[in-house]
């Protein structure tokens, strides 16, 4: 029977799709703020942080599902496994994104109090 019919794999696929959708929605929210002319550094940092972390997780899970086939250049997962780690450092490391987020949150807190 197809591997996707196994409950364990189906649940992994559901979790992976949920993570991709959550990251996408955060990116759309940050983009809408930018389009409206509002400050979006906190939201953009959150979107980058979540998307890069989820990308690494989802790619790793997909690689596990593919098993040995994941090493074959015939499948796109091989390329994704090579590229996914770059996203963790590409637009600023996760630690830098956390710094941006926390500074923005503290700035907002100070202006409200």
């Amino acid at each position: 029977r197809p591997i996707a019919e196994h409950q364990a794999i189906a649940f992994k696929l559901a979790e992976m799709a949920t993570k991709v959708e959550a990251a996408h929605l955060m990116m759309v929210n940050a983009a809408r703020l930018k389009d409206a002319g509002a400050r979006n550094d906190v939201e953009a940092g959150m979107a980058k942080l979540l998307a890069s972390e989820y990308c690494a997780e989802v790619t790793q899970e997909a690689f596990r599902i593919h098993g040995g086939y994941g090493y074959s250049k015939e499948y796109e997962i091989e390329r994704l496994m090579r590229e996914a780690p770059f996203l963790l450092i590409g637009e600023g490391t996760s630690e830098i994104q956390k710094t941006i987020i926390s500074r923005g949150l503290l700035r907002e807190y100070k202006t409200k109090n």
Side-chain angles (χ1 to χ4, degrees):
R1 84 189 212 192
I3 191 172
E5 290 182 8
H6 294 276
Q7 188 178 44
I9 301 300
F11 281 9
K12 280 186 183 197
L13 293 173
E15 290 172 5
M16 292 160 62
T18 301
K19 288 178 179 182
V20 169
E21 183 66 14
H24 180 258
L25 290 172
M26 288 191 78
M27 181 273 306
V28 168
N29 181 52
R32 285 187 177 146
L33 287 171
K34 180 73 172 174
D35 287 346
R39 189 171 187 141
N40 75 334
D41 52 331
V42 171
E43 291 78 9
M46 288 178 173
K48 287 178 187 179
L49 174 65
L50 191 75
S52 63
E53 296 287 334
Y54 278 177
C55 175
E57 291 175 24
V58 167
T59 302
Q60 191 170 39
E61 282 301 316
F63 189 77
R64 287 181 181 149
I65 291 170
H66 278 79
Y69 289 110
Y71 290 102
S72 173
K73 290 194 183 279
E74 180 180 342
Y75 296 97
E76 188 175 4
I77 190 63
E78 185 272 338
R79 180 183 60 80
L80 295 173
M81 275 302 289
R82 284 185 287 115
E83 293 179 1
F86 175 73
L87 293 176
L88 294 171
I89 58 172
E91 288 287 323
T93 64
S94 294
E95 289 75 21
I96 297 225
Q97 296 306 324
K98 290 175 186 176
T99 300
I100 291 168
I101 294 164
S102 64
R103 285 181 183 166
L105 293 173
L106 292 172
R107 184 178 54 246
E108 289 176 26
Y109 175 76
K110 287 178 184 176
T111 59
K112 290 181 182 178
N113 292 320

Short mmCIF file of all heavy atoms in Angstrom, two decimals, residues 26 29-31 33-34 37-49 91 96-108:
data_model
loop_
_atom_site.label_atom_id
_atom_site.label_comp_id
_atom_site.label_asym_id
_atom_site.label_seq_id
_atom_site.Cartn_x
_atom_site.Cartn_y
_atom_site.Cartn_z
N MET A 26 2.31 34.21 8.40
CA MET A 26 3.11 35.22 9.09
C MET A 26 3.81 36.13 8.08
O MET A 26 3.91 37.34 8.28
CB MET A 26 4.12 34.58 10.03
CG MET A 26 3.46 33.97 11.25
SD MET A 26 4.64 33.48 12.49
CE MET A 26 5.02 35.06 13.23
N ASN A 29 1.22 38.52 6.65
CA ASN A 29 0.92 39.56 7.63
C ASN A 29 2.00 40.64 7.62
O ASN A 29 1.69 41.84 7.61
CB ASN A 29 0.78 38.95 9.02
CG ASN A 29 0.44 40.00 10.06
OD1 ASN A 29 -0.50 40.77 9.91
ND2 ASN A 29 1.23 40.03 11.12
N ALA A 30 3.25 40.24 7.61
CA ALA A 30 4.35 41.21 7.59
C ALA A 30 4.32 42.02 6.29
O ALA A 30 4.54 43.24 6.31
CB ALA A 30 5.69 40.49 7.74
N ALA A 31 4.03 41.37 5.19
CA ALA A 31 3.97 42.07 3.90
C ALA A 31 2.82 43.07 3.86
O ALA A 31 2.97 44.18 3.32
CB ALA A 31 3.83 41.05 2.76
N LEU A 33 1.54 44.69 6.39
CA LEU A 33 1.93 45.84 7.20
C LEU A 33 2.87 46.76 6.41
O LEU A 33 2.72 47.98 6.42
CB LEU A 33 2.61 45.39 8.49
CG LEU A 33 1.70 44.78 9.54
CD1 LEU A 33 2.53 44.16 10.67
CD2 LEU A 33 0.76 45.83 10.10
N LYS A 34 3.83 46.16 5.73
CA LYS A 34 4.77 46.94 4.92
C LYS A 34 4.04 47.69 3.82
O LYS A 34 4.30 48.87 3.58
CB LYS A 34 5.84 46.02 4.33
CG LYS A 34 6.87 46.69 3.48
CD LYS A 34 7.82 47.47 4.35
CE LYS A 34 8.99 47.99 3.53
NZ LYS A 34 9.84 48.86 4.29
N GLY A 37 2.43 50.79 4.84
CA GLY A 37 3.32 51.84 5.31
C GLY A 37 3.62 51.78 6.79
O GLY A 37 4.21 52.69 7.35
N ALA A 38 3.20 50.72 7.43
CA ALA A 38 3.43 50.57 8.88
C ALA A 38 4.79 49.91 9.13
O ALA A 38 5.34 49.24 8.26
CB ALA A 38 2.33 49.71 9.49
N ARG A 39 5.29 50.10 10.32
CA ARG A 39 6.54 49.45 10.72
C ARG A 39 6.27 47.95 10.84
O ARG A 39 5.26 47.55 11.43
CB ARG A 39 7.00 50.04 12.04
CG ARG A 39 8.37 49.60 12.43
CD ARG A 39 8.88 50.36 13.62
NE ARG A 39 10.25 49.96 13.80
CZ ARG A 39 11.22 50.78 14.14
NH1 ARG A 39 10.95 52.03 14.37
NH2 ARG A 39 12.44 50.35 14.29
N ASN A 40 7.17 47.13 10.31
CA ASN A 40 6.93 45.69 10.35
C ASN A 40 8.17 44.89 10.73
O ASN A 40 8.23 43.70 10.46
CB ASN A 40 6.39 45.20 9.00
CG ASN A 40 7.48 45.13 7.94
OD1 ASN A 40 8.48 45.83 8.01
ND2 ASN A 40 7.28 44.27 6.97
N ASP A 41 9.14 45.52 11.38
CA ASP A 41 10.37 44.80 11.69
C ASP A 41 10.13 43.62 12.64
O ASP A 41 10.74 42.56 12.45
CB ASP A 41 11.45 45.74 12.24
CG ASP A 41 10.98 46.61 13.40
OD1 ASP A 41 9.78 46.92 13.46
OD2 ASP A 41 11.82 46.98 14.23
N VAL A 42 9.25 43.78 13.60
CA VAL A 42 8.96 42.67 14.52
C VAL A 42 8.27 41.53 13.78
O VAL A 42 8.68 40.37 13.87
CB VAL A 42 8.09 43.14 15.72
CG1 VAL A 42 7.62 41.96 16.54
CG2 VAL A 42 8.87 44.12 16.57
N GLU A 43 7.25 41.88 13.01
CA GLU A 43 6.50 40.85 12.29
C GLU A 43 7.36 40.18 11.22
O GLU A 43 7.29 38.95 11.03
CB GLU A 43 5.24 41.44 11.64
CG GLU A 43 4.18 41.86 12.65
CD GLU A 43 4.47 43.17 13.37
OE1 GLU A 43 5.42 43.89 12.98
OE2 GLU A 43 3.75 43.48 14.32
N ALA A 44 8.20 40.96 10.53
CA ALA A 44 9.09 40.38 9.53
C ALA A 44 10.12 39.47 10.19
O ALA A 44 10.41 38.38 9.68
CB ALA A 44 9.79 41.48 8.74
N GLY A 45 10.65 39.88 11.34
CA GLY A 45 11.58 39.04 12.07
C GLY A 45 10.94 37.74 12.53
O GLY A 45 11.55 36.67 12.45
N MET A 46 9.71 37.84 13.02
CA MET A 46 8.99 36.64 13.44
C MET A 46 8.75 35.71 12.27
O MET A 46 8.91 34.48 12.40
CB MET A 46 7.65 37.02 14.08
CG MET A 46 7.75 37.65 15.43
SD MET A 46 6.08 38.09 15.99
CE MET A 46 6.40 38.61 17.64
N ALA A 47 8.36 36.27 11.14
CA ALA A 47 8.10 35.46 9.95
C ALA A 47 9.38 34.78 9.48
O ALA A 47 9.38 33.58 9.16
CB ALA A 47 7.51 36.32 8.83
N LYS A 48 10.49 35.51 9.45
CA LYS A 48 11.78 34.93 9.02
C LYS A 48 12.22 33.83 9.99
O LYS A 48 12.70 32.77 9.57
CB LYS A 48 12.85 36.01 8.95
CG LYS A 48 12.72 36.94 7.80
CD LYS A 48 13.81 38.00 7.85
CE LYS A 48 13.65 39.07 6.82
NZ LYS A 48 14.70 40.10 6.91
N LEU A 49 12.09 34.10 11.27
CA LEU A 49 12.49 33.12 12.29
C LEU A 49 11.68 31.84 12.14
O LEU A 49 12.23 30.75 12.03
CB LEU A 49 12.32 33.71 13.69
CG LEU A 49 12.56 32.76 14.86
CD1 LEU A 49 14.00 32.29 14.89
CD2 LEU A 49 12.18 33.43 16.16
N GLU A 91 19.12 35.31 5.86
CA GLU A 91 18.64 36.68 6.13
C GLU A 91 18.85 37.06 7.58
O GLU A 91 18.06 37.77 8.17
CB GLU A 91 17.15 36.77 5.77
CG GLU A 91 16.89 36.76 4.28
CD GLU A 91 17.29 38.07 3.63
OE1 GLU A 91 17.09 39.13 4.24
OE2 GLU A 91 17.83 38.03 2.52
N ILE A 96 19.80 36.51 15.61
CA ILE A 96 19.65 37.92 15.20
C ILE A 96 18.16 38.25 15.08
O ILE A 96 17.74 39.33 15.51
CB ILE A 96 20.37 38.16 13.86
CG1 ILE A 96 21.84 37.92 14.07
CG2 ILE A 96 20.03 39.52 13.29
CD1 ILE A 96 22.83 38.87 13.53
N GLN A 97 17.39 37.34 14.51
CA GLN A 97 15.95 37.58 14.40
C GLN A 97 15.32 37.72 15.78
O GLN A 97 14.46 38.57 15.99
CB GLN A 97 15.26 36.46 13.60
CG GLN A 97 15.71 36.35 12.15
CD GLN A 97 15.60 37.65 11.39
OE1 GLN A 97 14.67 38.43 11.59
NE2 GLN A 97 16.55 37.90 10.52
N LYS A 98 15.76 36.90 16.72
CA LYS A 98 15.24 37.00 18.08
C LYS A 98 15.61 38.33 18.72
O LYS A 98 14.81 38.92 19.46
CB LYS A 98 15.77 35.84 18.93
CG LYS A 98 15.17 34.51 18.53
CD LYS A 98 15.80 33.36 19.30
CE LYS A 98 15.30 32.03 18.80
NZ LYS A 98 15.95 30.90 19.46
N THR A 99 16.80 38.83 18.42
CA THR A 99 17.21 40.14 18.93
C THR A 99 16.32 41.24 18.36
O THR A 99 15.84 42.12 19.09
CB THR A 99 18.69 40.42 18.57
OG1 THR A 99 19.50 39.41 19.16
CG2 THR A 99 19.12 41.79 19.06
N ILE A 100 16.07 41.18 17.06
CA ILE A 100 15.20 42.17 16.40
C ILE A 100 13.79 42.12 17.00
O ILE A 100 13.20 43.15 17.31
CB ILE A 100 15.15 41.91 14.88
CG1 ILE A 100 16.52 42.23 14.25
CG2 ILE A 100 14.04 42.73 14.22
CD1 ILE A 100 16.66 41.76 12.82
N ILE A 101 13.28 40.92 17.18
CA ILE A 101 11.93 40.75 17.73
C ILE A 101 11.85 41.29 19.15
O ILE A 101 10.96 42.07 19.49
CB ILE A 101 11.51 39.26 17.69
CG1 ILE A 101 11.38 38.78 16.25
CG2 ILE A 101 10.21 39.05 18.46
CD1 ILE A 101 11.35 37.26 16.12
N SER A 102 12.80 40.90 19.99
CA SER A 102 12.74 41.32 21.40
C SER A 102 12.91 42.83 21.53
O SER A 102 12.20 43.46 22.33
CB SER A 102 13.78 40.58 22.24
OG SER A 102 15.09 40.90 21.82
N ARG A 103 13.80 43.42 20.75
CA ARG A 103 13.96 44.89 20.80
C ARG A 103 12.68 45.60 20.37
O ARG A 103 12.28 46.59 20.97
CB ARG A 103 15.12 45.32 19.93
CG ARG A 103 16.46 45.01 20.53
CD ARG A 103 17.59 45.49 19.64
NE ARG A 103 18.87 45.11 20.21
CZ ARG A 103 20.00 45.15 19.54
NH1 ARG A 103 20.02 45.56 18.28
NH2 ARG A 103 21.13 44.80 20.12
N GLY A 104 12.06 45.08 19.33
CA GLY A 104 10.81 45.68 18.86
C GLY A 104 9.70 45.55 19.89
O GLY A 104 8.93 46.49 20.11
N LEU A 105 9.62 44.39 20.52
CA LEU A 105 8.60 44.19 21.54
C LEU A 105 8.81 45.12 22.72
O LEU A 105 7.86 45.71 23.25
CB LEU A 105 8.59 42.73 22.01
CG LEU A 105 8.14 41.69 20.98
CD1 LEU A 105 8.35 40.29 21.53
CD2 LEU A 105 6.69 41.91 20.59
N LEU A 106 10.07 45.25 23.15
CA LEU A 106 10.38 46.14 24.27
C LEU A 106 10.12 47.60 23.91
O LEU A 106 9.63 48.37 24.74
CB LEU A 106 11.82 45.93 24.73
CG LEU A 106 12.11 44.58 25.38
CD1 LEU A 106 13.59 44.39 25.61
CD2 LEU A 106 11.32 44.43 26.68
N ARG A 107 10.41 47.98 22.67
CA ARG A 107 10.13 49.34 22.21
C ARG A 107 8.63 49.60 22.26
O ARG A 107 8.19 50.65 22.74
CB ARG A 107 10.68 49.52 20.80
CG ARG A 107 10.53 50.91 20.24
CD ARG A 107 11.14 51.06 18.84
NE ARG A 107 10.62 50.09 17.89
CZ ARG A 107 11.34 49.11 17.33
NH1 ARG A 107 12.62 48.97 17.61
NH2 ARG A 107 10.78 48.27 16.49
N GLU A 108 7.84 48.65 21.79
CA GLU A 108 6.38 48.81 21.82
C GLU A 108 5.88 48.89 23.26
O GLU A 108 4.99 49.69 23.56
CB GLU A 108 5.70 47.63 21.11
CG GLU A 108 5.87 47.64 19.61
CD GLU A 108 5.26 46.41 18.96
OE1 GLU A 108 4.32 45.82 19.54
OE2 GLU A 108 5.73 46.05 17.87
#
